[in-house]
Every structure is written in C-alpha cells, then in structure tokens.
Amino acid sequence: MDNCCRGKAIKQFRIVSGMSLLFISSSLLAFDVQIDGVEGEVSDNISAYTTAIKASEFTEARLEGEIRRRVAEAMRPFGYYEPDIDLTLESGNDGVSISVDPGQPVTIDVLSLQLDGDASEDPPFISAVDNFPLEQGDVLRHSPWDSLVSRLSTLALERGYFNWRFADRRMEVRPYLNSARLYMHFDSGQRYRFGDIHIKGSHIEPERLENMRPFELDAPYLAESIAEYNQRLSETGWFNAVSVRPRLTDPAELMAMTPDEHSASLWWQEATGRQMPDTDSTTINANISVDAVRSALRLSPSDRVSMPIDISVQPADRHSFEIGVGFASDVGPRMSFSWQQPWVNRFGHGLDNDLYVSAPEQRLSGEYIIPLDDPLKDSYELQYGIKHEDDNDTRSLEGSLQIARRWKFDNDWEQTIYLRTTYEDFTQGGESDKVWLLYPGVQWTRTRTREQRFPVWGDRQRLSIDYSDTFYGSDARFLRVDGETQWIRMIGNDNRFIGGVGLGAIETDDFDRIPPSLRFFAGGDRSVRGYSYESLSPLNEEGRLRGGQQRLTASLEYQRRVKNSWWSAAFVDTGDAFDDWGPDNLKTGAGLGVRWISPVGPIRLDVAHPFDHEDDWRLHFSIGPEF
C-alpha cells in the first residue's frame, strides 16, 4: 500500500496485541450463562469471560453491552471477529441466554516470520519457527502466535542473546475482509560467550572450583550450564550457600532480563547502583515503556560479547555431628553417631567417622576422601575400621584398611578399584582361627531413585569381585564374587512393586581360613523374611552355622495404598546359603505387612511364615527406604 492510501485505510483494520485474550477471572460467579451456536474451546472461553460478571454492578442496558463486549473478545483468539450475538436476560438479571452466529472466521492472508542475527543459524530458533503450526490460508488463532513470541524471547535468554529484540511484531486483522497479516521479525544480535570466572568467598582453591565448570571458556552461553555449575558446587558439601550468575553490567543486558514494566526498577538499580527515582521526578519517567528503553539503548550498542561469570560462596561448617537411634528385629535397639568434616583443608579433602552400636555388632569406621579434578566424579579414598560381632555361632574381631580409587560416570554407574587388608580373629561354629588377608578388588554400583524418602521408581545394582593369593603373603587364596539387583516400580498411584535377586560365590581350597565377614549367610529383614538374621547357612558336624560358599536370594513384594501415607504389603522371599550350586530346597517365607511413610522415612512391619516350619511366625520391623 503506498503512502497516499495508507492514511485512509488505517481505520479499516485493527492492530491486535500479541497477548492472548484468554483468561479466567477470579471474581465471584454472579449469574448463569447459557450458550448456543458454538461449542468446544470457543464456548468454554465465552463462559469464562461472562460467568464472572457481577450483574449488580450494572444497569440492564450496561449489562447487555458488557456481555456483548466480552463475548466478542472471547471469540477473537479463535479467529471470529464479527459474530452476531443475541442476548436474552432473565428476570432480575440472574442469568443470560446467549445465541451466537460466529460468522466467517478470519484466515491468514500473509505470514512472514524472519530470524536475523546469530539466532538465524541456531537450531532451536530455526526449529521454533519451522514448527509454527499456522500457515497461509489457515484460520487465525492467537495462541500459537503468543507461544512463538514467548518461545523466541525465552530461547534468547537461555542461550545468551542479551541484545535480542523484535524488529517487527504485528498482527493486522481486517475483519471486513476476513483476513489477517502476521509479521514477526526477530533480531537476536550476537550470541554471548562464557568469559572469565571470578570467585569470591571461597576457602577452597579456586582452581578446584574452576575445574568443575560444565562449559569451556569462550563457548556459547547457555543458562542451563550456569544452573548445572551451581548444582555441582552445591553437591560438593563444601559450601553453605552458592551463587553462580552471569555478570550483567551493560544496561541492554539487564533490560533483556526484564520481563515487563513492573520490573523496570530492577535493571535501573543494577545498571546505576541507585534506586529508581519517584514517578514525579523529572530525571526519568518510571512508566516509560521497557521496549522504548531497549530501543534507546540500542542506539549505542555494546561491543561486548564475552560474559564473565561471578561465583559467590559461603563456607560450610567444618564439623557436623549426627546421632541416630533405631530398632530392627534383626539386631534389636541400635545407635549410631557420625562426625563429618566436609572439608579439612584448602584442597577440599573430607573426613567422615561413624560409630555403630547394637547388641550383635559394634563398629567404628572412617573414610578420608581426596578429591581429584572433578570432586563429584573422581577421588582417592582411604577407609579404615574396627568391627566386633557376636551373633548366632559367629564371634569375630576385625580390623581393616582399604585404599581405593573411585570414578563416577555420566550414566550413574560408579566404579571403585581398591586394595584391602584385613586382620580377623574369629570363631565360627566352634572353629577358631586368626587370618591376615591382602586382596585387590573392583566394585561397580548404580542407584537411581525418584523421591528419596519413599521412591515411586528406582533400581540398584551392585557387583564386586575380590581376589586373594598366598603368593604375596595373604593367608588364604580365593576368588569371591558378590552381586545384587533391586527395583521399584509403580502402576498408577496406588500400586507399588518391589523385587530383587542376590547372588554370591567363593572359589577357594582354603574355606576354613575364610573369615565370617567374607562367608555367605541368609535370612532376616532384608533377606529371607520368616527366618532370623543370618540364620541360613550350611551346618558343621556339630550342627552349628558354618557359613556358605554360595548364596542365592530372591524377593517379590506388592504394596497397595490404603489411605494417604498408609500402605499394605504382601510378599514372598526365597533363598539360602550353601556349599554347592543348586540346593535341593531353598528356604521360602511369605507374609503380610504394613507400611507407614513417616517424616523420618518408611516404617515397615511384617509378619512372615517360613514354609518349612508350619507353626512358626516371625515379626520383622525396620525403618528406612528399601535402598
């Protein structure tokens, strides 16, 4: 259209804001609305617009006009701009019947979507434009248009286009022609890149923190990487508070982060270091359009495309202590005390000490952790411990020391290679010995859960392999393999299944010299319910527990929600420890139980019946998640 005609035509079309007219009022519902002539989304939106009208606030004539206005507005997001609306108000203005002839919908005559700047070669932006669901000739709908506007501006902030703008964004509707013209020209400008890292408040060597960044310097900016960096630093346990943020010093960058006029004071304060003046000040008008300020700032654009990253941290307490008291039918009352030092020096080394006391077992253990370049994934670990056990036919005093190297992979598997030395003075089934063992080993583990306190989904795998040989001075030669898998799955919101299998084997010609801590036993709360703790194993000539060279256990449990945090359970367990694979009769127990999801974790109470003892019933009680 040339200039001479534009002035005459401008009154014959409407320029409609990109904001959708859909809304749900929170006002009190005032009267009933009956709608005929349209259905589905259009009818629902008309109802949302009109049912919240307070009829008492209007005269009859004004009420009718208000209803007509709202009905017309409610239909525009769906492309109906010239509907015929007939109203019938009920007596006393308690309700209204609306008959609508929507007329011909507006269709898209011109659709122009354009990307400029670095975003024109950025796949997420290209995908957002390519996936725009409307085409030329389609009925106009506002929602996809609004979604594209929101998507492009969100991508710009997430991907470092801090000088982004809409060079053009128009929805021109010509109701008299039943046509619309849509123009969107998004200019992203240059994409920022990660700049230098500046750390404040750290008691840990800055180099250690920099090595944990999930991005390379001068790589394209991603807000997701900032969030991941923040999470990594938090997970080290070194800090009470962590803040990782891009340094927004250019007013244009700050404006890019400002969603609307109500946040205008934010960028003003950040850019100037002062509070925004009052609205009556002649210095600045607080009601100025954010888009207008953005445009003014771009008259002198910044050449900076490197985004420095500021890290502010507060050291965690150097010492923390925890006391735990509990009860389980396997061991009776139990108590634990832990002393943790998440950092002991500027290199981030950590130290944990734990004391555990119950009637059958007492142990003191500790672990010194030396983190490597990525503290969350790579470390050396020094473990030590003393344990005393007096249970059933087992008497043992054990001291151990272990040096390990740990890796954690991106697929959640952890690998640990270790060298362990153990001295154990034991009596098993009346047979006593003292042994010193030195053996290397490797272990792989993976634990995945959703919702830690009462997982609705999860699994755990563990496999360890140990080898000892008299060739290098160890008192026994053996190859020991031990593994287990467990899983949790939900069907709907009220049905939970738990299953697991455990396997273990020792290949040795010196079984009498294998200490009880390495032999296999079964039975108890987390093994074969219906049997007491570690009461299943081969017997010696005196009829006392000897421990087995192999172990096989399996369990399947079904839980059903009864109400809120209360669940019922039914289960069956089977397994045994034995000297030769393929035992004639595995020990099997089954029973019923109750689960309560308490604030301190699930509390489990089970009654189990062993199938090989008709009159026996055993009560099992424990606290804590399955794994």
Side-chain angles (χ1 to χ4, degrees):
M1 182 180 296
D2 57 30
N3 292 336
C4 67
C5 299
R6 185 175 290 112
K8 296 179 181 179
I10 196 168
K11 294 183 180 180
Q12 298 181 29
F13 65 83
R14 305 173 186 176
I15 299 179
V16 182
S17 169
M19 297 301 293
S20 173
L21 298 175
L22 296 168
F23 78 97
I24 302 295
S25 174
S26 60
S27 302
L28 181 66
L29 298 183
F31 67 151
D32 295 328
V33 176
Q34 300 295 325
I35 304 170
D36 293 320
V38 291
E39 56 186 17
E41 292 180 314
V42 180
S43 177
D44 292 342
N45 208 41
I46 293 173
S47 178
Y49 264 69
T50 55
T51 55
I53 295 175
K54 291 185 178 180
S56 59
E57 297 180 354
F58 298 89
T59 64
E60 182 172 328
R62 289 185 58 205
L63 178 60
E64 182 176 338
E66 179 68 11
I67 293 173
R68 288 182 182 277
R69 184 185 67 81
R70 294 198 181 197
V71 170
E73 288 184 355
M75 297 183 67
R76 288 174 187 166
F78 305 98
Y80 298 105
Y81 275 76
E82 291 192 331
D84 288 331
I85 305 169
D86 290 330
L87 305 179
T88 301
L89 291 172
E90 296 180 4
S91 177
N93 294 345
D94 292 331
V96 61
S97 295
I98 305 174
S99 179
V100 179
D101 178 2
Q104 291 296 317
V106 168
T107 58
I108 299 174
D109 184 42
V110 175
L111 177 61
S112 175
L113 305 176
Q114 182 179 346
L115 292 175
D116 275 346
D118 290 350
S120 62
E121 298 179 357
D122 197 347
F125 286 89
I126 297 172
S127 177
V129 172
D130 289 345
N131 292 332
F132 185 66
L134 300 180
E135 298 180 355
Q136 188 172 342
D138 288 347
V139 173
L140 172 65
R141 292 175 62 90
H142 290 195
S143 180
W145 178 264
D146 298 339
S147 296
L148 180 60
V149 170
S150 176
R151 180 61 177 158
L152 293 179
S153 58
T154 299
L155 282 173
L157 299 182
E158 291 177 349
R159 302 181 66 80
Y161 297 91
F162 296 115
N163 293 321
W164 68 273
R165 69 188 182 103
F166 284 101
D168 192 6
R169 189 183 70 189
R170 288 177 292 151
M171 181 187 291
E172 299 179 356
V173 180
R174 293 170 168 81
Y176 62 95
L177 295 177
N178 294 322
S179 69
R181 298 182 177 185
L182 277 60
Y183 303 92
M184 188 180 299
H185 180 187
F186 182 82
D187 183 1
S188 69
Q190 286 185 293
R191 185 175 184 181
Y192 279 63
R193 295 180 172 271
F194 286 111
D196 295 334
I197 295 176
H198 302 269
I199 301 171
K200 181 176 69 174
S202 177
H203 56 297
I204 305 298
E205 284 289 322
E207 183 179 357
R208 311 224 69 166
L209 275 59
E210 290 190 29
N211 288 339
M212 296 178 65
R213 68 178 186 269
F215 53 83
E216 297 294 331
L217 297 182
D218 201 41
Y221 176 92
L222 271 176
E224 181 181 354
S225 297
I226 295 293
E228 183 180 353
Y229 197 4
N230 197 103
Q231 181 178 355
R232 288 186 180 186
L233 294 177
S234 299
E235 289 177 355
T236 61
W238 295 337
F239 310 108
N240 274 337
V242 176
S243 174
V244 180
R245 352 177 7 182
R247 183 185 299 174
L248 304 176
T249 57
D250 190 313
E253 299 161 2
L254 296 165
M255 286 300 297
M257 297 297 229
T258 304
D260 51 42
E261 284 82 355
H262 299 290
S263 303
S265 61
L266 172 64
W267 69 263
W268 177 264
Q269 183 176 354
E270 290 278 358
T272 65
R274 303 188 306 273
Q275 295 290 335
M276 175 177 276
D278 295 334
T279 55
D280 57 355
S281 170
T282 58
T283 306
I284 186 172
N285 181 359
N287 294 322
I288 190 172
S289 165
V290 171
D291 288 334
V293 177
R294 285 185 179 136
S295 299
L297 288 171
R298 290 188 180 91
L299 294 176
S300 56
S302 172
D303 294 331
R304 184 169 78 100
V305 293
S306 178
M307 178 64 69
I309 305 301
D310 290 331
I311 300 175
S312 177
V313 296
Q314 295 179 8
D317 295 335
R318 195 163 190 169
H319 303 275
S320 64
F321 304 92
E322 184 175 339
I323 297 177
V325 178
F327 178 89
S329 53
D330 281 347
V331 298
R334 60 189 181 188
M335 184 192 74
S336 63
F337 173 79
S338 66
W339 169 27
Q340 298 180 340
Q341 294 178 262
W343 59 276
V344 297
N345 55 33
R346 61 191 177 91
F347 300 106
H349 295 188
L351 177 62
D352 295 338
N353 292 284
D354 294 283
L355 174 66
Y356 173 87
V357 178
S358 67
E361 181 181 330
Q362 307 85 45
R363 66 175 181 263
L364 175 65
S365 61
E367 181 179 44
Y368 188 84
I369 303 171
I370 304 173
L372 299 178
D373 288 345
D374 188 340
L376 299 180
K377 294 186 176 181
D378 301 298
S379 62
Y380 286 108
E381 298 172 353
L382 175 64
Q383 299 177 2
Y384 47 90
I386 300 175
K387 184 176 74 170
H388 175 261
E389 184 176 358
D390 186 350
D391 184 44
N392 292 330
D393 295 327
T394 302
R395 309 286 185 275
S396 173
L397 179 61
E398 174 192 358
S400 63
L401 182 67
Q402 176 176 298
I403 299 174
R405 171 73 163 88
R406 183 185 71 93
W407 296 264
K408 184 173 183 180
F409 305 111
D410 292 337
N411 58 7
D412 294 328
W413 280 95
E414 290 189 24
Q415 174 181 275
T416 305
I417 297 178
Y418 53 86
L419 179 65
R420 183 180 178 89
T421 179
T422 298
Y423 177 81
E424 193 162 345
D425 182 354
F426 68 90
T427 300
Q428 181 63 53
E431 301 174 3
S432 300
D433 205 347
K434 299 177 182 179
V435 297
W436 177 80
L437 301 175
L438 175 66
Y439 55 93
V442 59
Q443 178 173 267
W444 296 275
T445 62
R446 182 179 68 175
T447 300
R448 302 179 297 175
T449 60
R450 297 173 187 166
E451 298 185 17
Q452 297 292 328
R453 189 161 62 98
F454 191 69
V456 298
W457 181 95
D459 54 52
R460 179 177 69 173
Q461 289 81 37
R462 179 183 61 81
L463 175 65
S464 63
I465 302 174
D466 301 311
Y467 179 76
S468 175
D469 202 311
T470 56
F471 174 77
Y472 46 76
S474 190
D475 287 340
R477 182 176 180 271
F478 65 84
L479 173 66
R480 185 178 189 271
V481 179
D482 189 19
E484 64 177 349
T485 179
Q486 291 179 284
W487 50 264
I488 297 173
R489 294 293 186 271
M490 292 276 289
I491 297 180
N493 294 321
D494 301 322
N495 302 283
R496 189 170 183 256
F497 293 87
I498 304 172
V501 176
L503 290 168
I506 302 174
E507 179 64 34
T508 182
D509 295 329
D510 303 318
F511 187 73
D512 290 341
R513 305 222 70 189
I514 303 299
S517 60
L518 295 177
R519 300 183 187 187
F520 292 108
F521 300 84
D525 296 345
R526 295 180 178 269
S527 181
V528 183
R529 284 164 286 188
Y531 299 87
S532 60
Y533 179 59
E534 295 192 346
S535 63
L536 301 179
S537 91
L539 306 178
N540 60 18
E541 294 178 353
E542 299 178 359
R544 307 170 93 177
L545 297 174
R546 181 171 181 265
Q549 288 188 238
Q550 292 95 30
R551 183 193 68 227
L552 169 63
T553 59
S555 177
L556 181 62
E557 180 172 318
Y558 167 65
Q559 298 176 0
R560 172 72 181 180
R561 189 195 303 270
V562 178
K563 186 177 181 181
N564 298 330
S565 297
W566 290 92
W567 295 67
S568 61
F571 59 87
V572 58
D573 303 330
T574 189
D576 204 349
F578 37 87
D579 288 332
D580 296 305
W581 281 110
D584 294 335
N585 295 300
L586 291 175
K587 306 297 184 182
T588 302
L592 301 174
V594 176
R595 308 287 181 264
W596 176 47
I597 311 173
S598 74
V600 297
I603 296 178
R604 299 187 297 277
L605 179 65
D606 294 322
V607 177
H609 172 58
F611 286 1
D612 59 349
H613 294 81
E614 294 183 0
D615 298 329
D616 285 355
W617 294 87
R618 186 168 183 84
L619 187 68
H620 294 272
F621 176 82
S622 59
I623 301 176
E626 288 80 9
F627 52 85

